[in-house]
Amino acid sequence: MTRHFGAPFSVVADPHLRRACELAERGRGTTSPNPIVGCVLVRDGEVVGEGWHERAGAPHAEAVAIAAAGDRARGATAYVTLEPCAHTGRTPSCAAALARAGVTRVVVGVADPNPIAAGGADALRREGIEVVFAEDPRPFHELDLEWIHRHSTGRPFVRVKVALTLDGRPALAQGVRSALTGEAARAFTMGLRSRADAILVGSGTVAVDDPSLTVRDTEGAPVARQPLRFVLARTEQPSPDRRMFHDGLGAVHVLVPDALDLDFGLAGAGAIAVAYETERGLLGVMEALAATDVVSLLVEPGPRLFGSLMSAGLVDELVLIHAGGLGGEEAPSLFVGEPQDDPSTLSRPMRAVEAAVIGDDAVTVWRPRRYAEYDSE
């Protein structure tokens, strides 16, 4: 099941479930902390209603499809990517809405792992509605991987993006901002940012690169919807003169150890302190991010933060963009963690799942081997 390239839903055999996946994808980046969901209503072989969840607080996919179908929903089959919710929160129960609409059969991609909302299938069956789950739940698990991961682990899904030279260097010189990739790779990075709830960098990256961490269109202008911006300040807080604190595109959140206060200058620049439990290290950082409803996190790290994330086993997806130049032996290394115990055998905790050429650069996508069971062929 591809995520970034190719036809991501081609592995879904049922055309109505495949269409539901396509609809769900339209909500990526805007529904958090809710999942992305698509729904198709079919009666007598004809599609009578479609819908997807557009944003948190807006009607769910099933409700949108029912509204589109009107009276034609009675006697229809609903194809939905995620088990309809069985509880009433900011929006009514989707299972109850389907029952009221007169739907007689529901085909579900994957079960809902959220204990608060789960149970929709049982609720529908109690109403005499047939419920069938897809034979292969992996494509639908992949569709909502970040959200399912958040409910399974209690922490955000961590996607790490790194640009490298051909010899694996993240910069051309220590402490110097280096432009390695071309325009196509930068556009690809904008896409990664646009689909994330938040972007995280370390204070060292802020000092060297002075990044904006924004999503910009092809003309270089900031788009309307911007992800949250976080700076991890484990030992040193960023300077308040950095441009991200003054660009008017939303407050910057600074993650600080729980025993420390935010620097006076940062507070004056509008930064927001987010404390994390120091004793829990990076896991405490992830828990603090989850408490702010971050489901999908994009990290654009320097070598120190990259090494710490890899060593802690907190990288859920690694996106490497390789540029066609060489850094040389004076350029910094990407990984500065501890060496392997056995230098004669390479430890391989990650596996490649995608690759593509974008412009003059190459992209490879890696996942931990523990995710192999969810990959569709």
Side-chain angles (χ1 to χ4, degrees):
M1 178 70 175
T2 56
R3 288 295 307 277
H4 301 290
F5 310 106
F9 309 119
S10 60
V11 296
V12 180
D14 188 293
H16 299 308
L17 278 178
R18 188 163 61 246
R19 175 59 177 168
C21 289
E22 294 169 354
L23 292 168
E25 192 65 38
R26 296 181 184 182
R28 189 169 302 280
T30 62
T31 65
S32 190
N34 294 344
I36 61 171
V37 182
C39 179
V40 176
L41 295 179
V42 179
R43 191 175 78 174
D44 299 328
E46 178 187 358
V47 174
V48 296
E50 293 184 339
W52 69 94
H53 185 39
E54 293 187 10
R55 64 183 184 280
H60 288 186
E62 296 91 331
V64 176
I66 290 168
D71 293 340
R72 295 179 298 171
R74 187 161 302 278
T77 295
Y79 295 83
V80 60
T81 56
L82 181 68
E83 180 183 7
C85 62
H87 86 302
T88 298
R90 284 193 285 181
T91 59
S93 161
C94 292
L98 289 168
R100 286 194 303 271
V103 168
T104 56
R105 185 169 180 263
V106 178
V107 181
V108 179
V110 69
D112 190 336
N114 181 1
I116 297 175
D122 290 339
L124 289 165
R125 288 175 178 136
R126 287 194 294 269
E127 295 292 332
I129 298 171
E130 180 187 2
V131 179
V132 179
F133 281 86
E135 291 185 5
D136 185 2
R138 291 177 298 176
F140 309 96
H141 184 285
E142 177 75 22
L143 181 71
D144 264 316
L145 179 60
E146 291 96 334
W147 182 80
I148 291 173
H149 178 277
R150 166 69 178 83
H151 283 281
S152 301
T153 66
R155 62 177 179 82
F157 183 92
V158 178
R159 177 174 289 111
V160 174
K161 189 276 297 184
V162 179
L164 299 171
T165 60
L166 286 179
D167 53 345
R169 306 293 182 166
L172 301 180
Q174 190 72 46
V176 177
R177 177 173 180 155
S178 303
L180 303 180
T181 60
E183 287 300 325
R186 284 191 279 274
F188 177 74
T189 297
M190 290 298 109
L192 293 178
R193 289 181 179 182
S194 70
R195 295 189 293 274
D197 298 326
I199 305 173
L200 172 68
V201 296
S203 56
T205 295
V206 175
V208 173
D209 292 350
D210 192 14
S212 63
L213 303 183
T214 56
V215 181
R216 300 178 295 278
D217 62 21
T218 55
E219 303 298 323
V223 302
R225 186 261 172 190
Q226 294 288 337
L228 298 175
R229 297 179 289 182
F230 286 85
V231 178
L232 177 56
R234 289 182 286 183
T235 59
E236 183 178 358
Q237 296 186 21
S239 171
D241 66 358
R242 302 287 83 179
R243 59 178 173 172
M244 66 170 62
F245 298 108
H246 307 282
D247 59 14
L249 294 175
V252 177
H253 300 72
V254 180
L255 289 149
V256 294
D258 50 14
L260 297 180
D261 294 323
L262 191 64
D263 177 85
F264 179 78
L266 287 171
I272 299 173
V274 177
Y276 68 91
E277 292 187 42
T278 312
E279 293 182 356
R280 294 184 61 76
L282 281 177
L283 186 57
V285 171
M286 297 305 156
E287 291 167 346
L289 288 166
T292 64
D293 285 337
V294 173
V295 173
S296 176
L297 176 69
L298 177 64
V299 186
E300 300 185 13
R304 183 184 174 202
L305 180 54
F306 176 81
S308 297
L309 288 167
M310 289 294 292
S311 298
L314 291 174
V315 177
D316 299 304
E317 184 177 279
L318 174 60
V319 180
L320 296 180
I321 305 178
H322 281 276
L326 298 169
E329 62 181 14
E330 296 301 321
S333 298
L334 173 61
F335 184 70
V336 293
E338 294 295 323
Q340 294 187 170
D341 294 333
D342 183 359
S344 65
T345 304
L346 178 67
S347 174
R348 300 176 65 195
M350 308 288 283
R351 59 192 292 268
V353 296
E354 286 187 88
V357 174
I358 50 175
D360 295 331
D361 303 316
V363 178
T364 51
V365 182
W366 302 76
R367 293 263 183 89
R369 291 187 179 275
R370 64 181 180 271
Y371 288 149
E373 62 182 290
Y374 301 121
D375 291 338
S376 298
E377 300 299 333

